[in-house]
Amino acid sequence: MPVPTSHHAVHRIGIEAPAGRVYALIRDAAEWPRRFTPTVHVERAALDARSERLRIWATANGEVKHWTSRRTLDPEGLNIRFRQEVCSPPVAAMSGTWALRERPRDSCELTLSHTFAVVDDRPEDVRWTTTATDRNSRTELANIKALAERPASGAEPLFSFEDSELVRAPAEAVYAFLAEARKWPARLPHVSRLDLAEPSDGVQVMTMATRAKDGSEHTTESVRVCFPEERRIVYKQVRTPPLMTLHTGEWSVRDTGNGLLVTSRHTVGINEAAVPAVLGADATVADARARVRAAVGGNSAATLALAKGFAEAPHAA
């Protein structure tokens, strides 16, 4: 069989921050969903002191893709090499390097290079992959630059919280309630509409209209990754309400030996610029956090309570 043609892409950006700080951002792949706009979820497994395997779910040209990469870490040389072990079509092979070059006055240059090939060398797939690589690389470099250059006192106002319910029912019934999002408009009073697509096994893309207590509605779009064997669902909102810059979360079902602990976890970034318009001229970030905690946590608590009722009902046995 003919060897697919290799294609190359190189993207660079100057960053007014020490190279070590930038390297740490790239190194910590578990945080990418909260740092890189395209990244939905990362599962990391250390292989040894200098290498790791990453399972990555991310958006590319409006689609959700999943691949597995092996990374080789070189903190002394300030570079990280990667190679996809399992690709997502139309990509047939993908490898590259994150490389940092120190510059004067605690600044650096970050270069992200890719070498890739596509299945059957189809020109339309080359264009698709080139566009996706260019768009995601530019976005990721800009995200890293913004994070690295942000003053320590100007850290993004992220906060996390969780709600739980103890459920005495089969884990399969609880997980099914959480995974069957298509049925939520009939099961959850605060969900007025939900459109669901499942582009690949275990991946759900959903647009959901949520009704607040005051009767108002807001629409979000999320990508969910389901792990049925682990009774776990992770997600990232790719369209958030105005008061948020970020919302990632997880539903989990864990056997405690005395029932199931069903937990909803959230990490939220507050959009400080939107606080006055949404909450009033005198409102603070603390007010915004309280509003989000009450609204998001309230919906989660309601969902957990309904999941408990559903799973513990005789019909669910």
Side-chain angles (χ1 to χ4, degrees):
M1 294 181 64
V3 178
T5 303
S6 290
H7 304 269
H8 306 278
V10 178
H11 296 82
R12 293 187 177 89
I13 196 168
I15 301 177
E16 298 302 315
R21 183 188 302 172
V22 178
Y23 180 89
L25 293 172
I26 303 166
R27 169 69 177 84
D28 191 3
E31 286 296 311
W32 284 7
R34 287 163 288 283
R35 291 173 173 166
F36 292 176
T37 303
T39 308
V40 173
H41 182 62
V42 175
E43 295 271 311
R44 176 185 175 273
L47 301 176
D48 54 48
R50 294 291 182 125
S51 64
E52 62 187 4
R53 179 170 288 114
L54 304 178
R55 296 173 63 200
I56 301 173
W57 288 260
T59 57
N61 291 345
E63 302 178 27
V64 181
K65 295 294 184 179
H66 167 229
W67 64 90
T68 302
S69 287
R70 181 172 180 136
R71 300 209 305 175
T72 303
L73 312 172
D74 181 6
E76 294 81 15
L78 294 173
N79 70 75
I80 298 174
R81 299 190 305 277
F82 59 88
R83 176 179 57 82
Q84 289 188 8
E85 297 179 322
V86 178
C87 301
S88 180
V91 176
M94 178 78 77
S95 61
T97 305
W98 297 89
L100 282 154
R101 182 172 62 86
E102 294 178 311
R103 300 194 308 190
R105 295 183 295 279
D106 273 343
S107 64
C108 61
E109 181 182 72
L110 174 59
T111 300
L112 175 56
S113 61
H114 290 87
T115 297
F116 65 88
V118 303
V119 178
D120 297 330
D121 276 335
R122 289 161 50 95
E124 58 269 38
D125 289 339
V126 172
R127 288 192 295 271
W128 188 97
T129 307
T130 299
T131 299
T133 301
D134 179 71
R135 179 177 292 141
N136 283 13
S137 295
R138 292 179 185 277
T139 300
E140 289 165 2
L141 292 176
N143 291 161
I144 292 170
K145 178 179 174 70
L147 284 165
E149 292 181 349
R150 178 179 290 133
S153 60
E156 186 176 5
L158 296 182
F159 72 109
S160 300
F161 57 92
E162 64 180 49
D163 298 284
S164 297
E165 276 276 2
L166 187 65
V167 180
R168 290 181 170 86
E172 294 80 3
V174 181
Y175 179 81
F177 186 95
L178 299 174
E180 293 172 348
R182 196 183 304 276
K183 299 179 181 180
W184 281 7
R187 292 175 170 174
L188 304 180
H190 61 272
V191 176
S192 58
R193 178 178 58 83
L194 192 146
D195 299 320
L196 182 71
E198 297 180 276
S200 60
D201 188 35
V203 174
Q204 299 178 338
V205 180
M206 58 190 233
T207 302
M208 182 170 66
T210 303
R211 186 183 299 109
K213 290 183 179 180
D214 63 4
S216 63
E217 288 190 355
H218 67 263
T219 300
T220 59
E221 184 176 344
S222 301
V223 178
R224 305 207 310 172
V225 183
C226 303
F227 300 95
E229 298 84 3
E230 302 171 26
R231 307 285 191 261
R232 183 166 63 100
I233 301 170
V234 298
Y235 64 88
K236 180 176 181 176
Q237 285 189 354
V238 294
R239 177 159 51 124
T240 57
L243 205 54
M244 302 183 200
T245 59
L246 170 78
H247 183 189
T248 63
E250 177 183 77
W251 299 95
S252 65
V253 181
R254 181 172 62 86
D255 190 349
T256 68
N258 186 32
L260 304 173
L261 187 66
V262 187
T263 302
S264 173
R265 298 182 179 86
H266 306 269
T267 296
V268 173
I270 295 297
N271 182 2
E272 292 187 77
V275 171
V278 176
L279 300 182
D282 296 328
T284 65
V285 171
D287 295 329
R289 288 189 177 193
R291 172 69 68 89
V292 169
R293 178 66 178 93
V296 175
N299 287 344
S300 290
T303 301
L304 290 168
L306 289 163
K308 174 183 174 71
F310 173 85
E312 290 180 346
H315 71 83

